[in-house]
């Protein structure tokens, strides 16, 4: 399912959608998953093409700024009966995330925008026309019920939908002919689908005799209850399926390559890893085999010490832009700067929980908060000790319990950061994320400043942004310092606080702190990694056969690189003595253009997986072979 009922954050939408369109209405959105095709056409059952639509497909393909072409119903709602989209998993994720988190008002619709309708058609109207009008375009004059239209829609007022099995004895001859033609075409499509795709007849049409010339044996009586359905669109699971069980007995291989860019002035050494089962065996009765791995900057690999330094001054209680979190702060605001800082940290921890190569064994987490003074909250394993697939609840409780008050003391925060890295495990790569929405106004120490913590200094006073001693100590620990300004009131100018703290060069565009203006941008800044280039090709092959359901979109970006987790490949040969191979091929391209090969890093890694299940045989007379460690001789 694109989304499960329990994932919907808005209480009203969660409680009412099953009484409205049903959560399975979102299945329309799977059109965005067809990423092997440049364009996908989404159609309802009551839509029939009267002529080719190549011109519409070309119109969408020829405009790189457009993501969809759509029609609308008479009531102004997007008609999912005729919708062209460019399949893209990133766009699908954006749509689903927005549906999940956007509140629905019974009178004013989505986020009180005036766009109403709980179903996918109502929501897409809001998403296309209110949130993303530049990327989605309404098609005009191409869909109607007249004879000149490219697309024909069933007339609900006259003929009814085919599955409503509607026939009116009072129809005149012209209406009968129109409705017969429509129903014949629709049921012919259904019959063709059953015969060529399901390879079976889901309904025995010889048993249904209601106006056979109209409904081709698919209706037994008037009304929707007279239509034998192959499945019920409301009969949907409301909880996520049980995760696929992966064999814990694994092996990991890796390969290295170099990406050169900017006319060979710069380069980066990169690593591709592959983890698979060590043996092909019948694991938990399954025939699928898990594949996972990572793509990393070779100069920055586990183990890690990661420190979050979070501004909790009074200004972090202010509202911040972006998708609502659903959590209400201590002052009744559900989308504050501090809420966004917390979400960014939790997103990173969730990435660690899902990663194949990060765990409590090679990642340590520290938390420092600062306002007028700073507090070091200690070291934590990132994951729940009882359930390593989940974030450590102690960190979650700490972060969700933070509230904002006080002034802004950068120097004190850096002192507490030094305390963490002095205690953290040695011999690791050290990372610090320093988040602040404001300007330092508390003077520091160690550099000869006159420290004032009883009253604030002027913003950006020299005593508040002089922390050379602290930065030198952090350099001794080799700390990569990511400084992020949260909101328009933060100061990322050259020579000031955040600029001094940040020491992480952007490998493509230079150095400097990042300033973000929304919750989503903050999460992206924290999750940005140092791997240079775009992944333009990613293929997993099992015994030489590519899995076409796996592609570049399956690589998840995170602060330490990219990961692909628990992808599955089918049907390895489990017979003892058989040799299987799983091969991963990846192309990293600096400019994102797969046709310019001088700025590419091509990496291939392969695991050999022997079969582990002894074959069963019946010995013939005189035949002596080993069976499960015992000598067997036929008699």
């Amino acid at each position: 399912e694109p989304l499960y009922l329990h994932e919907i954050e808005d209480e009203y939408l969660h409680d009412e959608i099953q009484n409205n369109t049903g959560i399975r209405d979102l299945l329309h959105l799977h059109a965005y998953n067809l990423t092997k095709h440049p364009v996908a056409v989404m159609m309802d059952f009551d839509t029939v093409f009267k002529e080719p639509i190549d011109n519409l497909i070309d119109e969408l393909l020829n405009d790189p700024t457009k993501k969809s072409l759509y029609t609308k119903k008479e009531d102004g709602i997007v008609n999912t009966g005729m919708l062209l989209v460019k399949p893209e998993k990133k766009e699908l994720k954006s749509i689903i995330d927005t549906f999940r988190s956007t509140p629905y008002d019974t009178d004013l619709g989505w986020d009180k925008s005036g766009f109403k309708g709980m179903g996918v058609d109502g929501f897409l109207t809001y998403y296309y026309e209110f949130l993303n009008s530049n990327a989605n375009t309404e098609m005009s004059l191409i869909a109607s019920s007249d004879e000149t239209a490219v697309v024909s829609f069933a007339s609900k007022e006259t003929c009814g939908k085919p599955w409503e099995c509607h026939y009116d004895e009072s129809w005149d001859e012209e209406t009968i002919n129109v409705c017969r033609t429509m129903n014949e075409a629709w049921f012919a499509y259904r019959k063709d689908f059953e015969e060529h795709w399901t390879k079976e007849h889901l309904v025995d049409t010889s048993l249904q005799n209601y106006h056979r010339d109209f409904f081709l044996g698919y209706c037994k009586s008037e009304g929707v209850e007279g239509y034998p359905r192959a499945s019920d669109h409301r009969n949907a699971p409301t909880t996520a399926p049980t995760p696929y069980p992966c064999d814990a007995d694994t092996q990991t291989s890796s390969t290295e390559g170099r990406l050169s860019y900017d006319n060979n002035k710069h380069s980066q050494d990169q690593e591709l890893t592959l983890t698979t089962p060590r043996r092909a065996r019948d694991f938990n009765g399954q025939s699928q085999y898990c594949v996972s791995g990572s793509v990393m900057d070779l100069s920055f690999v586990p183990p890690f010490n990661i420190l979050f330094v979070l501004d909790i001054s009074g200004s972090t209680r202010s509202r911040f832009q972006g998708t609502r979190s659903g959590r209400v702060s201590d002052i009744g605001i559900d989308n504050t700067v501090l809420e966004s800082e917390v979400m960014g940290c939790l997103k990173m921890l969730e990435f660690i929980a899902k990663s194949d190569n990060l765990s409590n064994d090679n990642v340590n987490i520290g938390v420092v908060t600062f306002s007028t003074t700073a507090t070091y909250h200690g070291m934590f394993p990132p994951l729940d000790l009882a359930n390593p697939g989940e974030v450590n609840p102690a960190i979650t409780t700490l972060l969700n319990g933070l509230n904002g008050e006080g002034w802004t003391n950068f120097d004190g925060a850096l002192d507490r950061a030094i305390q963490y890295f002095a205690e953290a495990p040695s011999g690791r790569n050290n990372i610090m994320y320093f988040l602040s929405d404001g300007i330092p106004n508390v003077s520091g120490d160690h550099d000869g400043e006159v420290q004032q913590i009883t009253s604030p200094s002027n913003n950006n006073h020299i005593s508040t942004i002089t922390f050379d001693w602290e930065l030198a100590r952090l350099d001794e620990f080799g700390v990569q310092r990511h400084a992020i300004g949260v909101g328009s009131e933060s100061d990322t100018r050259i020579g000031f606080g955040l600029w001094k703290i940040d020491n992480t060069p952007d490998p493509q565009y230079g150095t400097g702190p990042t300033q973000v203006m929304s919750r989503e941008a903050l999460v992206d800044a924290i999750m940005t990694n140092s791997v240079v280039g775009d992944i333009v090709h990613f293929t997993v092959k099992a015994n030489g056969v590519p899995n076409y359901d796996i592609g570049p979109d399956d690589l998840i970006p995170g602060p330490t690189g990219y990961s692909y987790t628990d992808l599955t490949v089918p049907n390895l040969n489990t017979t003892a003595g058989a040799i299987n191979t799983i091969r991963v091929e990846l192309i990293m391209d600096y400019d994102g253009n797969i046709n310019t090969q001088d700025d590419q890093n091509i990496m291939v890694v392969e695991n050999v997986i022997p079969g582990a299940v002894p074959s069963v045989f019946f010995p013939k007379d005189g035949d002596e072979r080993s069976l499960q460690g015992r000598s067997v001789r036929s008699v």
Side-chain angles (χ1 to χ4, degrees):
E1 303 298 324
L3 185 70
Y4 291 94
L5 186 62
H6 75 276
E7 297 178 287
I8 297 177
E9 297 175 6
D10 182 73
E11 183 177 356
Y12 178 79
L13 184 63
H14 174 276
D15 293 343
E16 295 297 325
I17 191 169
Q18 290 296 77
N19 299 322
N20 192 276
T21 60
I23 192 70
R24 287 203 95 180
D25 200 40
L26 296 178
L27 286 172
H28 287 83
L29 299 177
H30 274 306
Y32 280 96
N33 269 327
L34 302 175
T35 54
K36 300 299 180 182
H37 305 277
V39 171
V41 181
M42 188 188 305
M43 298 169 55
D44 273 350
F45 286 138
D46 54 355
T47 304
V48 177
F49 291 135
K50 300 176 71 173
E51 61 182 69
I53 59 168
D54 300 56
N55 59 319
L56 299 176
I57 295 173
D58 291 340
E59 178 184 345
L60 182 57
L61 285 175
N62 291 336
D63 189 340
T65 68
K66 297 301 181 186
K67 296 183 177 181
S68 78
L69 294 176
Y70 61 91
T71 60
K72 294 205 298 190
K73 305 174 187 177
E74 293 180 359
D75 57 4
I77 299 296
V78 165
N79 191 344
T80 52
M82 175 56 185
L83 177 64
L84 279 69
V85 302
K86 290 178 180 176
E88 182 185 356
K89 290 189 177 182
K90 182 178 180 181
E91 180 69 4
L92 175 61
K93 182 179 184 301
S94 174
I95 294 172
I96 292 299
D97 287 347
T98 306
F99 190 100
R100 174 191 295 112
S101 58
T102 303
Y104 188 88
D105 184 85
T106 183
D107 296 318
L108 298 176
W110 295 98
D111 203 19
K112 298 184 178 180
S113 63
F115 289 86
K116 302 178 67 175
M118 291 185 186
V120 69
D121 49 3
F123 175 75
L124 287 180
T125 308
Y126 163 73
Y127 185 86
Y128 286 167
E129 300 199 342
F130 187 75
L131 298 181
N132 300 279
S133 59
N134 292 332
N136 303 280
T137 301
E138 180 184 358
M139 295 181 284
S140 60
L141 302 178
I142 62 94
S144 68
S145 58
D146 63 43
E147 295 181 358
T148 62
V150 175
V151 180
S152 173
F153 297 113
S155 172
K156 298 177 183 177
E157 293 78 14
T158 304
C159 302
K161 296 179 179 179
W163 53 89
E164 292 174 341
C165 299
H166 180 53
Y167 184 89
D168 192 333
E169 299 289 349
S170 67
W171 281 342
D172 57 28
E173 184 176 354
E174 181 180 359
T175 302
I176 290 175
N177 289 333
V178 169
C179 294
R180 177 188 290 115
T181 300
M182 182 198 74
N183 280 288
E184 286 178 345
W186 192 87
F187 284 113
Y189 280 127
R190 169 169 175 168
K191 182 179 179 182
D192 180 73
F193 174 80
E194 290 184 3
E195 291 179 349
H196 291 86
W197 291 92
T198 67
K199 306 299 183 184
E200 60 179 321
H201 292 288
L202 302 178
V203 173
D204 187 350
T205 56
S206 66
L207 301 178
Q208 328 299 330
N209 293 313
Y210 184 70
H211 293 282
R212 292 187 63 87
D213 59 333
F214 249 63
F215 306 117
L216 304 185
Y218 281 98
C219 289
K220 60 183 179 181
S221 63
E222 176 76 17
V224 69
E225 64 277 2
Y227 178 72
R229 297 189 177 207
S231 64
D232 188 340
H233 77 288
R234 291 178 184 270
N235 185 23
T238 57
T239 58
T242 302
Y244 183 85
C246 294
D247 194 337
D249 183 16
T250 62
Q251 59 180 332
T252 299
S253 300
S254 64
T255 188
E256 301 172 7
R258 173 169 295 180
L259 178 71
S260 298
Y261 57 97
D262 194 16
N263 294 321
N264 292 320
K265 295 178 182 177
H266 304 284
S267 64
Q268 183 181 78
D269 292 326
Q270 299 170 342
E271 178 186 58
L272 170 65
T273 69
L274 168 65
T275 299
T276 65
R278 190 179 302 277
R279 298 169 297 161
R281 57 183 179 136
D282 185 14
F283 178 71
N284 282 357
Q286 303 290 336
S287 60
Q288 300 281 327
Y289 297 86
C290 295
V291 176
S292 55
S294 63
V295 184
M296 305 187 75
D297 173 1
L298 199 57
S299 68
F300 207 70
V301 295
F304 296 113
N305 295 317
I306 300 175
L307 174 66
F308 300 120
V309 182
L310 306 181
D311 187 344
I312 60 169
S313 61
S315 57
T316 63
R317 296 154 68 102
S318 303
R319 189 178 295 280
F320 195 49
Q321 297 185 28
T323 304
R324 288 177 170 83
S325 67
R327 174 181 175 269
V328 179
S329 69
D330 63 317
I331 57 173
I333 297 177
D334 69 345
N335 209 39
T336 65
V337 171
L338 182 53
E339 300 284 321
S340 300
E341 292 180 0
V342 168
M343 175 176 278
C345 297
L346 291 176
K347 288 293 185 182
M348 176 185 286
L349 292 167
E350 290 168 4
F351 173 85
I352 294 171
K354 295 177 181 178
S355 174
D356 179 67
N357 66 334
L358 301 177
S359 67
N360 288 338
D361 295 330
N362 60 10
V363 180
N364 182 275
I365 299 294
V367 179
V368 167
T369 58
F370 68 95
S371 55
T372 306
T373 59
T375 301
Y376 168 47
H377 295 273
M379 294 187 296
F380 304 85
L383 307 179
D384 188 348
L385 296 177
N387 184 4
E390 300 293 335
V391 174
N392 185 345
I395 307 179
T396 303
T397 300
L398 169 64
L399 294 176
N400 283 331
L402 297 175
N403 290 305
E405 59 181 350
W407 306 320
T408 306
N409 186 346
F410 279 17
D411 190 281
L414 294 173
D415 287 336
R416 301 289 76 78
I418 292 169
Q419 183 180 351
Y420 165 72
F421 287 111
E423 296 180 0
S426 60
R428 294 188 170 195
N429 281 311
N430 294 324
I431 313 173
M432 179 179 77
Y433 293 89
F434 192 104
L435 279 60
S436 177
D437 75 322
I439 298 173
N441 52 21
V442 177
S443 61
D445 55 9
H446 290 303
D447 291 298
E449 310 98 327
V450 178
Q451 190 172 26
Q452 297 178 1
I453 60 173
T454 57
S455 61
S457 303
N458 293 330
N459 287 345
N460 278 332
H461 185 274
I462 188 63
S463 67
T464 70
I465 58 173
T466 302
F467 22 73
D468 294 345
W469 181 88
E470 286 84 357
L471 296 180
R473 289 285 289 130
L474 292 173
D475 285 342
E476 292 175 11
F477 291 112
V479 179
Q480 277 198 9
R481 307 189 299 265
H482 299 263
I484 302 174
V486 186
S488 59
E489 298 302 314
S490 61
D491 190 348
T492 57
R493 292 177 298 166
I494 294 176
F496 291 88
L498 293 176
W499 183 87
K500 288 185 173 183
I501 292 171
D502 190 279
N503 72 343
T504 55
D506 182 306
Q508 300 185 45
Y509 304 110
T511 63
T514 302
Q515 187 177 49
V516 297
M517 298 299 177
S518 70
R519 179 190 299 272
E520 290 80 9
L522 174 56
V523 171
D524 287 344
I526 292 176
M527 298 296 282
T528 296
N529 63 69
S530 62
V531 176
V532 176
D534 295 325
I535 298 170
V536 294
H537 175 78
F538 178 71
T539 299
V540 177
K541 296 180 178 179
N543 292 329
V545 179
N547 187 330
Y548 292 107
D549 292 328
I550 297 174
D553 288 338
D554 290 299
L555 286 135
I556 303 170
T560 60
Y562 295 88
S563 68
Y564 56 101
T565 304
D566 295 345
L567 305 178
T568 59
V569 295
N571 302 327
L572 298 185
N573 189 340
T574 62
T575 304
I579 297 298
N580 302 278
T581 60
I582 293 182
R583 174 185 175 99
V584 171
E585 302 172 357
L586 180 140
I587 301 178
M588 187 73 73
D589 190 286
Y590 176 71
D591 62 7
N593 182 357
I594 197 171
N595 296 316
T596 56
Q597 299 180 5
D598 57 342
D599 61 349
Q600 291 180 350
N601 179 17
I602 301 175
M603 293 186 286
V604 177
V605 62
E606 182 175 280
N607 277 358
V608 175
I609 307 173
V613 179
S615 59
V616 178
F617 66 92
F618 298 94
K620 299 178 181 179
D621 289 345
D623 191 10
E624 183 175 336
R625 287 184 252 174
S626 175
L627 178 60
Q628 296 183 350
R630 295 181 297 172
S631 179
V632 178
R633 182 175 177 86
S634 63
V635 294

